[in-house]
Amino acid sequence: AALRTFFPLIKRILLCTFSGDKMVSCNHTLNHFFERVFPVFSLCLDLIPPGACNLLNSSAIYANNEVNLAEVDIYGFDYDYTLALYSNALNTMIYNAAKGFLIEHFRYPEGILKYDYIPNFAVRGLHYDIQKGLLMKIDAFHYIQPGTVYRGLNPLPDEEVLELYGGTYHVPLEQDSGFYGKGPKVKQFMDIFSIPEMTLLAVANDFFITNDIEYDPVHLFKDVSEAIGMVHLKGYMYKWVVQDLDKYILRGEETHAVLHKLVSSGKKLFLITNSPFSFVDKGMTHMVGEKWRDFFDVVIVQADKPHFFTDCIKPFRRLDTKGDLCWEKIKSLDKGQIYKQGNLFDFLRLTGWRGSKVLYFGDHLYSDLADLMLRHGWRTAAIVPELEHETKMVSTGRYALNLTWLQALTGLMERLQTHRDPESQQVFLEWQKEREELRIMTKNLFNPQFGSIFRTCHNPTYFSRRLCRFSDIYMTSLSCLLNYDLSYTFYPRRTPLQHEAPLWMDQLCTGCMKTPFLEEMSHIR
């Protein structure tokens, strides 16, 4: 309505900047927009349901499978990026330390030092072709998304990508990452900690390419991977976090509120983490208090996941009050004690905690959740901090308009393609170009290089497929539990299949609007 009212004024202002033939051309273009394009554009606005841009909230919990919390008696947790959420400053520190190791330990050129950390370059869930040195996004059907293949810090033209992969965007299953994300030729980066690793890989590749230095991409991948590993093995990350807990740990008061709520409701809690006890103790004391162990019935550190879930050999070891190993045989897992290593089979035998009455929270889909869901029937919950940014983008009017217009344009192309006359074919090509521009615009709303971690152009990403397969529910952080009663049932939204009719009312009555935000959250955020 505003555009219709002010169109004459807007046109006069724009025409003042032109003269002669340019003024005539501009006047024609503006009139064409108002007479032809604007009615269709207005129709797209009318298609967007009322309130569609306000449906999503980053504090909601989303369901892939029906979960009734009333049936859950035992809650389990990972530590890093689950109980403890870290600030982006930690990624910068990991990147800089690993970059230093590349130069000092692996004798890489000092020119790499000039590359500072790029905070928003990579996103979680990307694949890396080890032999070709390419970072890319792959969809649920093993197809590379055009425009998201990077060699170093620069995108590869689609034509070159097709040539490198034999005329197709498809990555064969035998080359793709295996069950735990590690294949012979392609690795998937599922861990949030892997974001600085992907950035360092891109930077190192970029240095050799721009300086025309011959190198082996396989050696580079292994060296970067080992340099990142050294940051963790040498305890640098633990040292940084412990020295400045306020800087690196986020939302500690929310973690305390979640644990208090669960214990007050009579739930049993346990912790299984790969981190050492001294590190966990400092972080939990900072977030929850010195008596944080009173919340947990079982605490297991340095568990060596995912092998903890598949290996039935390693026994549990108890740690004394000083953190030293004890030698007695573990016949029970007792509250107030700290255990190291062990395996899930002994854990199940000693606790009797089995099946859908157990809900385990973790951030890594493979190491934390996959085996528990597929082999043991536990309920699983994925912590996906990226949801906060993604839901904010999806909730904007700009995204809703782009997506609605994109879908409308795709529908028009689907019908027009049957007309073979030259004029129709010319219009089809123009629409095809516009559709591609809309796709790029929509992608750039999330991340200019790789777009959303959940979608390619129209398909779910490989990451999204694994998220749906290995997690019953997923959320931004543990604090989302504070919005729900512990007898609440999460119902997955019935999304239409390709051969089913999409119903706006079905979308409005279910899904995102189901969140019953509770008053208990108001004093925390």
Side-chain angles (χ1 to χ4, degrees), residues 80 231-232 235-243 274-276 279:
D80 296 304
V231 176
H232 296 281
Y236 283 88
M237 190 199 84
Y238 305 137
K239 180 181 176 181
W240 300 325
V241 174
V242 167
Q243 285 179 343
N274 286 349
S275 292
F279 175 66

Side-chain angles (χ1 to χ4, degrees), residues 287-390:
M287 293 186 289
V288 179
E290 291 184 359
K291 295 185 178 181
W292 66 268
R293 282 187 280 172
D294 292 345
F295 284 111
F296 294 91
D297 294 88
V298 178
V299 176
I300 300 167
V301 298
Q302 291 178 278
D304 192 26
K305 295 179 291 184
H307 302 297
F308 179 89
F309 299 127
T310 57
D311 182 11
C312 58
I313 299 174
K314 282 184 180 178
F316 283 107
R317 301 285 298 272
R318 188 173 66 83
L319 300 180
D320 62 19
T321 55
K322 296 180 181 179
D324 296 326
L325 285 171
C326 299
W327 297 98
E328 78 270 16
K329 182 179 178 65
I330 302 300
K331 298 180 180 179
S332 62
L333 297 175
D334 301 321
K335 186 169 183 174
Q337 300 297 325
I338 304 299
Y339 299 95
K340 178 180 177 181
Q341 296 177 349
N343 63 84
L344 185 66
F345 301 94
D346 284 342
F347 180 88
L348 296 175
R349 178 176 57 82
L350 295 171
T351 62
W353 295 343
R354 299 177 181 275
S356 58
K357 68 178 181 179
V358 184
L359 175 60
Y360 186 78
F361 293 78
D363 69 291
H364 199 298
L365 300 182
Y366 298 141
S367 298
D368 290 327
L369 308 181
D371 288 297
L372 294 176
M373 168 175 273
L374 298 179
R375 303 185 187 197
H376 301 282
W378 285 13
R379 295 297 196 175
T380 56
I383 302 300
V384 188
E386 296 92 341
L387 266 174
E388 187 159 11
H389 171 67
E390 297 255 349

Side-chain angles (χ1 to χ4, degrees), residues 77-85 255 361-363 368 383 477-478:
F77 305 92
D78 180 31
Y79 178 72
D80 296 304
Y81 281 110
T82 302
L83 287 172
L85 291 180
T255 298
F361 293 78
D363 69 291
D368 290 327
I383 302 300
S477 69
L478 277 181

